[in-house]
Amino acid sequence: MQRKGGWLREFRRDLHAHPELSWREKRTTNAVFETLTAAGLHPRRLSTTGLVCDLGPAAVPGGPGLVALRADMDALPIHEATGLDFQSTNPGVSHACGHDAHTTILLGAALALAELDAGPGLPVGVRLIFQPAEEVMPGGALSAVRDEVMTGVSRIYALHCDPRIEVGRIGVRSGAITSAADHIEVILHSPGGHTSRPHLTSDLIYGLGTVITGLPGVLSRRIDPRSGTIMVWGAANAGSAPNAIPQIGALHGTVRTGEHQIWESLEPLVREIIGELLAPLRIKHEVNYTRGVPPVINDHLAATRLAAAARAVSPDGVVDTPQSGGGEDFSWYLEESPGAMARLGVWSGEGRQYDLHQPDFVLDERALEMGVKVLTNVVFGSVD
């Protein structure tokens, strides 16, 4: 593994220096494809970007299903400010979420598993999924599912970088580990008018304020607070003059919940509340509701096996982790088969703890080898 440790860093740094946005991961896909092919494997490209590769014994009817391992490949539209020697050469785009590490770890696990398959053999068939477009809703996982990557899969696993956990450990949780995340756009229309005569028109700004404060408030009274449901606005735009009521305004925000059943009921409830809030104000409106991803709900057995895979590397390699309010399209795979995602520690243990989706996000590259070992181990611990 020492020989591969240096290779892992170099491969990850190359990806880091050449980040690609969602659905544009052509260079990344080619780099992974060529590496797998050179190792004697037979990857196949997905219908968009990304690829899938099987190794080990094939799944047979009535026999054990494949164990799938997934990594996401895309970067974010964030200008990098790390000052690293290998920082992004693509202005305005960077791997500020660690997907370069995810891809490298899965590739390292693929090569390790291929060596084992050529020797003693693998106890179960393995499917490697290098997925595009995790960072855009509803996520590239849906496209991968349509490409039938889950056919024959009995369980699926993934790791995600976590800068709050020390390198050498992973955070494991049974049940929900992320939240559902939807986007809301509300567009309001008014005839407009003079601010001295709001009674003769529809006061659009007042309507915006009513929705801004009213929707989160009413949702908090209509939904069990134990579900972790939260609605937050990110943008509000209308008008330009202090004495003129504008004719159009818009709000943009997200609504998140930790429970699958509540997620399924959110859209009609949001539409109902907005309509009731604006009805007395005679303001016309339209709601564009974009369903994002369901929560990632870890299967208990799969989470237990991920924990065992980490403890095989280090006895104290597992820590508890809370449910996140963030969304992750790994959840779409769990609609097809049980599985689990764990949080991979990437904090050096000293100094500042960086955060994801920030221009200066950095990770401790020792986490690469830890990730490879965990994914390799979970395959051998997944024989039912």
Side-chain angles (χ1 to χ4, degrees):
M1 187 60 75
Q2 288 183 350
R3 178 182 64 84
K4 289 184 179 177
W7 177 86
L8 288 170
R9 288 191 296 273
E10 292 306 312
F11 191 89
R12 180 254 166 174
R13 291 181 180 189
D14 179 71
L15 295 186
H16 190 89
H18 302 91
E20 297 170 298
L21 294 175
S22 303
W23 305 119
R24 305 178 191 177
E25 309 93 333
K26 293 182 179 180
R27 184 185 185 278
T28 305
T29 298
N30 289 338
V32 174
F33 189 95
E34 291 167 4
T35 304
L36 293 174
T37 302
L41 300 178
H42 303 284
R44 61 185 186 277
R45 298 177 188 270
L46 299 179
S47 59
T48 54
T49 44
L51 52 92
V52 63
C53 184
D54 291 351
L55 64 157
V60 296
L66 300 171
V67 173
L69 307 175
R70 171 268 201 176
D72 37 15
M73 308 172 74
D74 54 330
L76 285 159
I78 295 175
H79 187 79
E80 183 167 352
T82 62
L84 295 170
D85 293 339
F86 51 94
Q87 82 169 23
S88 172
T89 59
N90 188 357
V93 181
S94 67
H95 274 295
C97 200
H99 292 188
D100 53 337
H102 300 170
T103 300
T104 302
I105 287 168
L106 183 55
L107 185 58
L111 300 183
L113 291 168
E115 290 182 5
L116 293 168
D117 192 36
L122 298 178
V124 65
V126 179
R127 175 160 296 159
L128 313 165
I129 303 171
F130 294 87
Q131 177 213 303
E134 187 276 331
E135 296 291 358
V136 293
M137 289 188 178
L142 270 181
S143 177
V145 170
R146 286 194 293 268
D147 284 341
E148 301 183 345
V149 301
M150 294 301 290
T151 300
V153 171
S154 61
R155 278 191 177 80
I156 183 167
Y157 299 93
L159 299 174
H160 195 295
C161 291
D162 190 332
R164 302 294 176 178
I165 297 176
E166 190 171 350
V167 68
R169 295 181 174 180
I170 68 169
V172 179
R173 178 184 177 89
S174 180
I177 193 171
T178 71
S179 299
D182 296 347
H183 284 175
I184 304 172
E185 179 187 52
V186 186
I187 302 175
L188 277 60
H189 300 275
S190 165
H194 201 288
T195 56
S196 66
R197 296 181 288 274
H199 59 293
L200 298 181
T201 184
S202 300
D203 190 344
L204 187 137
I205 296 295
Y206 186 86
L208 286 175
T210 300
V211 176
I212 287 172
T213 58
L215 180 59
V218 175
L219 277 176
S220 72
R221 271 69 181 174
R222 296 283 296 272
I223 295 175
D224 189 333
R226 293 171 297 181
S227 67
T229 303
I230 183 171
M231 196 278 131
V232 178
W233 299 108
N237 301 284
S240 57
N243 61 347
I245 295 173
Q247 294 181 311
I248 189 168
L251 300 172
H252 300 265
T254 61
V255 59
R256 304 171 186 271
T257 185
E259 293 192 10
H260 199 287
Q261 186 175 0
I262 289 176
W263 175 66
E264 292 176 339
S265 67
L266 272 176
E267 180 176 356
L269 180 57
V270 165
R271 291 182 180 276
E272 174 190 338
I273 293 171
I274 292 173
E276 292 175 351
L277 288 169
L278 292 175
L281 303 176
R282 300 174 298 170
I283 296 176
K284 295 181 180 180
H285 74 281
E286 55 188 283
V287 177
N288 298 316
Y289 193 103
T290 302
R291 280 190 98 199
V293 295
V296 171
I297 301 177
N298 284 343
D299 171 70
H300 177 71
L301 178 58
T304 300
R305 287 175 171 174
L306 267 178
R311 290 193 180 99
V313 182
S314 171
D316 61 349
V318 178
V319 297
D320 293 331
T321 188
Q323 181 181 1
S324 166
E328 230 293 348
D329 75 349
F330 182 73
S331 53
W332 291 120
Y333 299 115
L334 301 185
E335 299 282 297
E336 308 292 324
S337 298
M341 167 177 280
R343 305 192 188 284
L344 177 69
V346 298
W347 177 47
S348 67
E350 298 179 356
R352 176 183 167 191
Q353 290 180 313
Y354 292 85
D355 200 4
L356 301 172
H357 288 218
Q358 294 296 318
D360 58 355
F361 169 69
V362 296
L363 58 84
D364 189 322
E365 291 180 318
R366 291 177 297 171
L368 300 175
E369 190 169 339
M370 177 68 178
V372 169
K373 290 179 178 179
V374 170
L375 290 185
T376 303
N377 288 347
V378 81
V379 168
F380 283 84
S382 293
V383 180
D384 293 318

